[in-house]
Amino acid sequence: MNLLKFSNDVFIAAFFLYSIAFMLFTIAIMGRKWSGRKPEEHTARWGKIAFITSSLGLLCHLAYFFTRWAGGGHIPVSNMYEFMSFLSMMVMVAFTVIFSIYRKILLGLFSVPISIIVMAYAAVFPQEVQPLIPSLRSIYLNIHVTLAALGESFFAVGFAAGLMYLLRTVNFKSSSKSDKRQQRGVEFTLFTIIVIIGFLASVFAFRGAGYETVFIRSNVTVDNPGQNDSTIEKVSYKMPPLVAPYHSEIESFQSFFGIKEPLFEAPFWMKGVNAGRKLNTVLWSLLSGAVLYGVLRLIVRKPLGKALQPALDGIDESDLDEITYRAIAIGFPIFTLGALIFAMIWAQVAWGRFWGWDPKEVWALVTWLFYSAYLHLRLARGWQGHKSAWLAVLGFLVVMFTLVGVNLVIAGLHSYAGTD
Amino acid sequence: MGKARKPVQIIILALIVLLGGYAIGTSAFGGGGKPEEGSRAPSIELLGLDGQTHTLDEYKGKLVVLNFWGSWCAPCVKEMPALEAQWQQWKDQGVVVVGVNVGEDQMTVQNFVNGTGVDFPILMDPDREAVRRYGVSPLPTTFFINAKGKVDTIHIGQLDLSTLSAQIGKLVNP
Amino acid sequence: MNGRLPLIVNTKCECGHQNPVGTVLCEACGKPLLDDPESGETLEMRYDGMARRSQKADPDVIDRVWNFFSSVKIAIYLIVLTLLGSTLGTIFPQESTFLNIDPSTYYEQRYGTAGEIYYRLGLSHTYESWWFITLLVMIGASLVICSLDRVLPLYKALSRQKIRKHRRFLTRQKVVLVTMVAEDPEVWTARAVQPLKKQGYRVFTDGGALLAEKHRFSRWGPYVIHIGLIVFLLAVLARGLPGLNMDQHLAFPQGDLIHIPDTSYYLKNEKFTVEFYSDEEMPEEFRGKKVLPKLYETKAVLYECTEDCGDPSKEPKLTKVASHPIQVNDPLSYKGMKAYQFDYDLTPVLRSVTPKLVNSRTGDSYGAFKLEMKNPQRSFSAGPYTLELKEKYMEFGLNEAGQPISKSPYPNSPAFLFLIKGPNLPAGGEQYFYFPKQNDKAEFQQDAINDKLGGAGRFLELEVGDMSGVDFSESTSYLNIRVDRAMPFVWIGAGIVMLGLVLGFYWQHRRIWLIVEGGELTLGGHTNKNWFGFRREVSFFLNKMDITADEKSLDNGGGQA
């Protein structure tokens, strides 16, 4: 058990090292006009420190991974916490690989925060080492999940580079129709990221405060005439309920800033008490995201994209374009092998059918089709620059939906424990 | 290569049409191998109450009313008299009613038959192999198989005397 | 660039080569044929500027169909449509995920109007629908035709490359360098061979012209991927052929020998085990709160029938052919047939009881007999008494008319009616109702029924002494029995796809052309991806040749990545 304790400690250490590395990357890029030194020298010097820090973070992260593996007795990719931690680690691996090819300090500014966000998202889930249920006890758990995550991490770096490309090149001064549309697109992407941060902030804030409210709902189903089956469902909210589950009653309520009862009730088509809880979480995320966004806007007094653009001055945009493409081109075969081929092999061994159109399988296929469309458009139709960058951004959205959205919205065979 | 080009194109397109047509065709009209109305009746080989093994081929050239039933299933029990009446009415005119008992043992079937006075041939399907082949899920289900061995109609649920009579009449004298 | 070519074009190049219609760059010398000579844009190097097979001046119907499928644009549309179509199928669960539902009512009941619409649109079986299969077939067609249409011209172009190219071909590449060299052209090019070879290039020279090339095989990557996908799709199609595929979901009560339909195999579940994690194995947070299964295992023995197989009136002769402890990720496998652990049911199923006939007044026992639930004997004898089994009910109940019936064929609450004959009983015998399960005995009031049947003077009872008189199957294991003879081809297809992906994405086809003429060096370079690495390589080479050119300065802008 000492191993597991150590593992948790280095996990936190990795998180802080990444955060520091992110700040250092920020200093390296944003601060290049500060001192009297030449901007290139400043960036190179601070970038090196930042990269060393992030690499130390990655080392801690790897230490977390292997000690948890040793302590838990199986590879730690078996539940949502472990998988997301692993994914954030792979994002750092992909970043390190791409960074060592291209040596673009700026890449750190955008990749490291993705890893930090994913890592924080991991911490939302219960962190116990859970023994493996029979269906997960297979060598293919190791191969399938790790390769899929690695492939997806390269897509994440592609996303980071694509977003950078857009921030670098979208004309924020122009008011032509297509430029406006791109400005809105960039702003929306940034807003989405901020909403995710808002979600994380709300989860940890209310968790820190120990908030809980419990709703119950009794379901009466009439199977045979005259014979009622009633079941009682209970749901515990960890955030103040803005919205209560449809047709539910309060069991215990902890008031929050004078709110003594839910503001409204979930619509009837949201069946199940958990649907109400999820809607509540979404509302809180949007709310805190909007507040955060509003505050940032007040500080910079212009669209965030426009405010970020000067940071990217002097970066060669065609390099960014190529990094986007390269990251995806490196990730695509790995993704195919891990998320499709080994998934099929495992499914064949476990269930006797290599493909069953389970939602998770379908979405892995959708991801694959999306990136193959991307590659065809780029290689055979010459889509580069903006179009290609937008596809890279959108593609990562598809990846995240496959990883998170499918579990939240659609139930299937890949139901990891404790999806929030 | 220049000259061979056209034939090559034609051969490839023909292959695509053939294989693609097969793929689309089986998806649109195939459907899991269960017999549907109009498809060939799957063969069965079951032990009869008379102690003999029976197959559908024995009844070739006749209209077969293949009824899947169980003694625990109330609607099956209720439709038995109608089936028996039709069997008596049509048995000399090339119609045979065959009852396939689903999943019960010989004693139960025998007792049931003795109790209800059913006279038409009864087969037993203790391992539900015929049930699987015919894709039967709710009981009773009745297949009307014409003289050519094709499934003409599938009736799910209890049959009453008049529908049964009309159905058989329609098939015997089209 | 799609077929919208002028009807009559002079396709003869100044170098004397006659090019097919649709050629962008002269097949021999690379001179740009179509556009403005003054243009400085980088060249379109796809398929090395060759005409695709399908591009023809006057297309007929076959050409038009061919052209349609050979277009990458159409291929992309097909990919996107398949992508969108697939997502539709994930909105609600597909029919195939349920074992026993009636889809025509299920979707409406569960999801309301939206579910009803979903079902009516046929989206509850999206992936088997004709339009989805049609999309897949069209993708297949596109894979074949697109590849054929491009791979042959590309092969031709790459296998007969000329070393000396038109100067404009070089200066309009994406990597370009024009600089002065004092040396004699032939000496300079001869000197350039070694450093290039060191970098892994194959080098060809022709006087003052040089061609260096490496990793040409990477160009075949995409076509290898496409071939793999075609093999894969064909294998999937072949799975549907009769006899190549079988899929059954069967129940195997422990200890029973079960025939696997449509085969000559029988499988016996000798023992089913389910294990749970002990408290020590669980994290502290879960102890006493959660139960997690650790193992599901069916000890299975497979028998093959050797004689009297299809005939239900005879007992089949069986030989044991395989045995295996089946676990979730570890199926039994025999000659292409596999048995997978799927589900289980721990409800015990009664198989037989061995009651004793006793005299309830004296306590005398007249002996015991074995009463099977399925196909029982019809008469038994116990001491001086004979028992004739008249009726049996597997799940005892009463119908509307108050008559005893069986509510299901499963021995959940079995009941037996005997006619007992022997000493001190009426001449016609005495009827006796027997419920083997204790709780049924009480629930259905066995004693009261028997008092009514036998009168106050009755003295015989059937009793099971202890558990040794009861035989039941402890649990039932559900296995999936599958045969999939096309699987090897599915894996071969997937393997080819992977090979192609690795070839195509982890190597790049790089070429460098040089002409030294009149004291001037013209260098053009092309790679199919990773320009960054390529420029670095070219700059490294130039350094070796004592020409300083930093990576960025080689960049001619635009072009393909």
Side-chain angles (χ1 to χ4, degrees), chain C residues 380-441:
Chain C
F380 307 91
S381 61
Y385 294 96
T386 59
L387 297 94
E388 204 182 319
L389 180 58
K390 300 301 273 187
E391 294 288 346
K392 84 187 233 288
Y393 309 93
M394 289 288 86
E395 187 172 341
F396 185 79
L398 296 173
N399 67 5
E400 292 140 10
Q403 292 159 326
I405 51 151
S406 193
K407 290 198 288 192
S408 85
Y410 309 106
N412 296 332
S413 50
F416 297 86
L417 177 64
F418 291 99
L419 183 66
I420 311 176
K421 288 180 182 168
N424 302 323
L425 292 177
E430 183 181 282
Q431 286 186 313
Y432 181 83
F433 239 103
Y434 175 53
F435 293 87
K437 284 191 177 174
Q438 275 309 324
N439 47 349
D440 294 341
K441 203 171 273 181

Side-chain angles (χ1 to χ4, degrees), chain A residues 16-296:
Chain A
F16 283 110
L17 281 167
Y18 288 159
S19 306
I20 295 166
F22 172 56
M23 284 180 245
L24 290 169
F25 275 119
T26 315
I27 293 171
I29 302 296
M30 307 281 190
R32 67 202 143 159
K33 281 160 202 157
W34 292 347
S35 54
R37 237 179 281 125
K38 276 189 189 159
E40 293 83 47
E41 251 173 50
H42 171 94
T43 302
R45 197 185 140 101
W46 283 90
K48 199 171 171 189
I49 301 173
F51 183 68
I52 289 169
T53 315
S54 81
S55 301
L56 281 177
L58 181 58
L59 279 180
C60 287
H61 210 158
L62 284 162
Y64 143 83
F65 179 73
F66 287 106
T67 48
R68 190 176 170 101
W69 190 341
H74 59 85
I75 187 169
V77 289
S78 67
N79 60 29
M80 213 47 176
Y81 165 72
E82 291 176 346
F83 178 74
M84 285 295 154
S85 313
F86 182 76
L87 183 69
S88 63
M89 185 166 93
M90 286 296 112
V91 171
M92 288 307 293
V93 169
F95 159 71
T96 310
V97 169
I98 299 288
F99 183 85
S100 56
I101 300 175
Y102 291 100
R103 309 260 165 207
K104 292 277 172 272
I105 304 293
L106 192 66
L107 208 52
L109 188 61
F110 287 82
S111 299
V112 175
I114 295 181
S115 180
I116 294 176
I117 290 175
V118 175
M119 213 169 168
Y121 181 60
V124 169
F125 299 98
Q127 303 177 13
E128 304 86 30
V129 177
Q130 202 172 319
L132 291 182
I133 55 170
S135 60
L136 291 182
R137 291 174 59 160
S138 164
I139 181 72
Y140 295 111
L141 172 70
N142 306 19
I143 305 172
H144 159 60
V145 181
T146 50
L147 283 177
L150 183 62
E152 283 151 355
S153 302
F154 277 100
F155 295 156
V157 174
F159 161 78
L163 185 59
M164 277 157 64
Y165 180 89
L166 293 170
L167 284 169
R168 169 77 182 81
T169 58
V170 167
N171 187 348
F172 283 96
K173 289 184 189 97
S174 156
S175 56
S176 80
K177 214 171 170 190
S178 75
D179 283 327
K180 275 272 174 222
R181 205 166 51 218
Q182 300 213 52
Q183 290 165 17
R184 277 196 295 271
V186 169
E187 207 59 14
F188 180 75
T189 311
L190 293 173
F191 178 72
T192 310
I193 295 171
I194 290 175
V195 167
I196 294 168
I197 296 170
F199 160 72
L200 294 169
S202 342
V203 168
F204 292 116
F206 290 119
R207 185 184 287 175
Y211 185 87
E212 186 173 19
T213 279
V214 179
F215 287 96
I216 51 169
R217 182 172 76 178
S218 54
N219 291 333
V220 180
T221 46
V222 185
D223 282 342
N224 300 313
Q227 189 188 332
N228 293 353
D229 287 326
S230 90
T231 50
I232 291 183
E233 283 183 288
K234 212 179 217 187
V235 62
S236 153
Y237 276 46
K238 304 288 184 196
M239 295 183 191
L242 302 170
V243 52
Y246 177 65
H247 271 203
S248 63
E249 283 162 48
I250 297 166
E251 194 188 67
S252 68
F253 199 96
Q254 191 178 334
S255 75
F256 171 76
F257 274 113
I259 305 176
K260 292 214 168 51
E261 58 183 35
L263 301 182
F264 52 96
E265 190 176 72
F268 71 93
W269 47 266
M270 289 202 146
K271 298 200 167 148
V273 287
N274 280 318
R277 182 179 54 90
K278 286 175 186 173
L279 177 65
N280 190 53
T281 308
V282 169
L283 287 178
W284 269 106
S285 312
L286 282 172
L287 200 70
S288 43
V291 169
L292 196 57
Y293 179 79
V295 169
L296 286 171

Side-chain angles (χ1 to χ4, degrees), chain C residues 188-233:
Chain C
W188 197 92
T189 39
R191 197 158 63 86
V193 173
Q194 264 320 307
L196 282 169
K197 275 198 171 157
K198 253 209 176 111
Q199 285 180 309
Y201 283 90
R202 283 158 51 214
V203 187
F204 312 91
T205 51
D206 173 12
L210 176 147
L211 163 64
E213 182 182 21
K214 75 171 172 189
H215 302 158
R216 186 197 286 179
F217 62 83
S218 141
R219 286 298 275 275
W220 312 125
Y223 307 103
V224 175
I225 299 171
H226 290 175
I227 291 169
L229 288 172
I230 292 161
V231 172
F232 185 90
L233 287 176

Side-chain angles (χ1 to χ4, degrees), chain C residues 38 51 56 189 284 286 329 428 433 450 513:
Chain C
E38 297 308 310
K56 224 173 122 179
T189 39
E284 281 162 44
F286 288 2
N329 279 298
F433 239 103
N450 285 331
W513 297 272

Side-chain angles (χ1 to χ4, degrees), chain A residues 132 316 325 330 346 380 384, chain C residues 46 277 329 506 529 552 559:
Chain A
L132 291 182
D316 186 341
Y325 165 68
I330 292 174
W346 191 8
Q384 295 194 32
Chain C
R46 273 176 253 154
Y277 283 102
N329 279 298
Y506 296 150
K529 38 186 96 71
K552 273 280 139 192

Side-chain angles (χ1 to χ4, degrees), chain C residues 121-335:
Chain C
L121 287 176
L123 293 176
S124 58
H125 48 88
T126 306
Y127 309 108
E128 291 86 38
S129 63
W130 62 268
W131 59 267
F132 192 78
I133 305 286
T134 307
L135 275 175
L136 292 184
V137 168
M138 286 172 81
I139 284 188
S142 165
L143 283 169
V144 174
I145 295 175
C146 267
S147 306
L148 264 183
D149 220 37
R150 288 170 173 77
V151 76
L152 295 174
L154 183 65
Y155 177 78
K156 252 173 47 180
L158 293 180
S159 57
R160 28 168 141 124
Q161 292 184 74
K162 265 182 70 173
I163 298 165
R164 186 178 288 276
K165 291 279 189 183
H166 195 275
R167 192 172 174 276
R168 220 161 55 228
F169 176 81
L170 266 56
T171 54
R172 288 183 55 194
Q173 290 299 327
K174 207 186 156 195
V175 168
V176 175
L177 178 82
V178 182
T179 186
M180 291 300 169
V181 268
E183 268 170 88
D184 174 69
E186 299 211 11
V187 176
W188 197 92
T189 39
R191 197 158 63 86
V193 173
Q194 264 320 307
L196 282 169
K197 275 198 171 157
K198 253 209 176 111
Q199 285 180 309
Y201 283 90
R202 283 158 51 214
V203 187
F204 312 91
T205 51
D206 173 12
L210 176 147
L211 163 64
E213 182 182 21
K214 75 171 172 189
H215 302 158
R216 186 197 286 179
F217 62 83
S218 141
R219 286 298 275 275
W220 312 125
Y223 307 103
V224 175
I225 299 171
H226 290 175
I227 291 169
L229 288 172
I230 292 161
V231 172
F232 185 90
L233 287 176
L234 286 177
V236 172
L237 185 61
R239 287 176 78 234
L241 291 174
L244 288 185
N245 188 17
M246 179 183 89
D247 180 4
Q248 303 188 58
H249 179 241
L250 299 173
F252 294 90
Q254 185 171 311
D256 286 5
L257 186 68
I258 303 287
H259 179 224
I260 300 169
D262 303 324
T263 68
S264 58
Y265 295 110
Y266 288 72
L267 193 140
K268 188 172 182 182
N269 162 11
E270 294 204 312
K271 176 140 188 62
F272 175 76
T273 333
V274 49
E275 269 178 40
F276 295 92
Y277 283 102
S278 67
D279 262 357
E280 293 78 61
E281 291 168 301
M282 295 278 270
E284 281 162 44
E285 295 87 338
F286 288 2
R287 276 176 206 165
K289 286 185 210 153
K290 266 194 182 179
V291 182
L292 271 185
K294 183 179 186 180
L295 176 75
Y296 307 122
E297 184 181 84
T298 305
K299 285 217 160 34
V301 181
L302 187 72
Y303 297 90
E304 185 168 13
C305 174
T306 47
E307 260 178 79
D308 300 331
C309 298
D311 190 345
S313 61
K314 290 182 191 152
E315 272 297 303
K317 290 199 174 63
L318 303 180
T319 3
K320 179 174 163 179
V321 288
S323 69
H324 184 73
I326 301 173
Q327 295 181 8
V328 176
N329 279 298
D330 188 10
L332 175 146
S333 170
Y334 181 73
K335 288 192 179 166

